[in-house]
Amino acid sequence: LSTQKNDFAIIRPAIQNVVAADKILVMAAGNFGWSNPLYPAAYAMEMDYHGIIAGAIGPDGAITSFSNRAGVSSNSQFYVVAAGSQMYAPLNAGSKSFGFVKDGTSFAAPQVTGALALLLGAFPNLTSQDAVRIILTSADKTGIYADSSIYGQGRLDIQAALAPAGELLLPTGTSAGSSSGGKIGRAHV
């Protein structure tokens, strides 16, 4: 969702429908350089892990001057950053030009959406809420990204989101498919 208003109450019923349908909504944070995301992104804290706010970082990895920050409210727990500056955007079909370079949190939001699609494609048994939690908890929180008032949960890290985590149980013994006496080995990944 790449729209921004200071308050956008008309969209509240649609957001409630997203939650009721167990879907995910990724929302651009806004492009005013403010300390908090605008609505409808600010509704993320009400979405029970069905919403993610996307802020924009530049080629240097730092938050852009235009991107609204995560803020100090509960919204920072649903906020991640992704590339959103100097992004190539193709022109309409039939144009004589190949495209142009644009900036905006509207370019960061599709990257977060794509990461969710990859995650749910790789692990189709995840719930929407699990997928959102994985994207948020796997974000890079090191260095500058540790400042949650600016970067929220950190920089989107698709590789970390797709990596196995936790304890892996592997059958051991002579026959993995045997129901007679196979042992279970443990490995941490």
Side-chain angles (χ1 to χ4, degrees):
L1 184 62
S2 295
T3 186
Q4 48 196 2
K5 300 286 182 191
N6 193 25
D7 188 7
F8 204 27
I10 195 166
I11 202 166
R12 183 183 285 267
I15 287 174
Q16 291 168 338
N17 290 339
V18 167
V19 174
D22 194 31
K23 302 297 181 192
I24 302 169
L25 185 60
V26 177
M27 300 163 281
N31 299 321
F32 294 102
W34 293 352
S35 60
N36 289 293
L38 288 176
Y39 286 93
Y43 285 127
M45 66 182 167
E46 301 174 21
M47 296 181 68
D48 191 29
Y49 287 91
H50 287 88
I52 297 180
I53 304 167
I57 55 175
D60 62 355
I63 193 103
T64 62
S65 60
F66 60 81
S67 180
N68 290 1
R69 278 53 175 163
V72 294
S73 71
S74 297
N75 276 318
S76 67
Q77 68 184 336
F78 302 103
Y79 184 105
V80 294
V81 292
S85 179
Q86 300 181 22
M87 304 299 289
Y88 175 79
L91 292 176
N92 294 332
S95 171
K96 297 196 186 302
S97 178
F98 290 106
F100 53 96
V101 176
K102 294 289 285 182
D103 297 326
T105 57
S106 293
F107 290 96
Q111 292 180 65
V112 176
T113 302
L116 283 160
L118 288 170
L119 182 62
L120 289 166
F123 306 102
N125 293 328
L126 287 175
T127 67
S128 297
Q129 291 172 312
D130 288 340
V132 168
R133 283 185 180 101
I134 289 169
I135 292 295
L136 296 171
T137 59
S138 65
D140 178 4
K141 298 166 185 56
T142 61
I144 61 172
Y145 306 119
D147 186 343
S148 63
S149 67
I150 296 174
Y151 297 98
Q153 296 305 302
R155 181 182 52 86
L156 177 67
D157 188 339
I158 298 170
Q159 183 176 356
L162 292 170
E167 188 173 70
L168 178 64
L169 300 176
L170 299 170
T172 60
T174 57
S175 175
S178 171
S179 61
S180 59
K183 296 180 182 179
I184 301 293
R186 296 181 188 276
H188 290 280
V189 292

